[in-house]
């Protein structure tokens, strides 16, 4: 699962390539209008836009949104403080994001292994 304690409450990120704004809102437990606002405030968020200006987020975007959510809601940062924190983490390569991805992948691989090792009915 993900690192910080608040992330234990958040659903596991499915193994999809793209997510709609509604799916991301559920995965990160924030409203869609908040995501649209964060896109304006945080240059790290740039979902792919397709037909009709529909937004499609990638897995890295979802993890970034969860980091922003943690900074703002759990750690008490302001928007400006969260921007500075994210920019500082980008410069020194944020290893926690990679740890989160690795833990997520391990969980998914263990689930696949369980399915493969289960007896055939």
């Amino acid at each position: 699962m993900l690192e910080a304690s608040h992330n234990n409450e958040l659903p596991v990120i499915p193994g999809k390539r793209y997510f709609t704004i509604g799916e991301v809102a559920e995965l990160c437990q924030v409203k869609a209008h908040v995501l649209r606002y964060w896109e304006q405030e945080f240059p790290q968020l740039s979902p792919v836009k397709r037909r009709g200006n529909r937004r499609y987020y990638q897995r890295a975007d979802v993890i970034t949104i969860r980091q922003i959510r943690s900074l703002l809601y759990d750690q008490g940062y302001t928007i400006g403080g969260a921007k500075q924190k994210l920019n500082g983490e980008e410069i020194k390569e944020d290893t926690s994001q990679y740890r989160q991805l690795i833990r997520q992948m391990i969980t998914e691989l263990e689930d696949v292994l369980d399915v493969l090792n289960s007896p055939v009915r």
Side-chain angles (χ1 to χ4, degrees):
M1 194 67 125
L2 299 175
E3 223 173 54
S5 61
H6 76 281
N7 286 335
N8 292 334
E9 305 166 3
L10 298 176
V12 173
I13 302 170
K16 293 172 51 174
R17 185 166 179 163
Y18 292 103
F19 302 89
T20 64
I21 194 167
E23 291 171 328
V24 174
E26 282 184 34
L27 288 171
C28 298
Q29 296 180 348
V30 294
K31 301 209 183 241
H33 70 272
V34 172
L35 293 172
R36 289 190 290 271
Y37 173 70
W38 287 354
E39 284 175 29
Q40 295 172 355
E41 294 297 321
F42 296 93
Q44 297 89 342
L45 292 180
S46 55
V48 177
K49 290 191 180 176
R50 296 210 178 128
R51 296 178 245 122
N53 234 6
R54 292 181 131 176
R55 292 164 168 81
Y56 291 94
Y57 295 85
Q58 296 181 4
R59 179 185 281 302
D61 293 323
V62 176
I63 291 171
T64 301
I65 291 166
R66 285 184 172 193
Q67 288 177 328
I68 292 169
R69 179 188 186 280
S70 171
L71 290 171
L72 296 175
Y73 295 172
D74 300 330
Q75 298 176 39
Y77 280 82
T78 62
I79 294 281
K83 282 183 191 178
Q84 287 179 345
K85 181 88 170 155
L86 285 176
N87 286 336
E89 288 177 358
E90 277 184 359
I91 291 170
K92 65 181 179 187
E93 284 198 351
D94 181 26
T95 57
S96 69
Q97 184 174 7
Y98 295 114
R99 282 191 202 121
Q100 290 172 357
L101 279 171
I102 291 168
R103 285 195 177 115
Q104 179 75 30
M105 292 171 81
I106 289 170
T107 301
E108 291 171 6
L109 288 171
E110 286 172 344
D111 291 344
V112 169
L113 187 60
D114 289 342
V115 168
L116 291 173
N117 286 334
S118 65
V120 180
R121 292 183 184 193

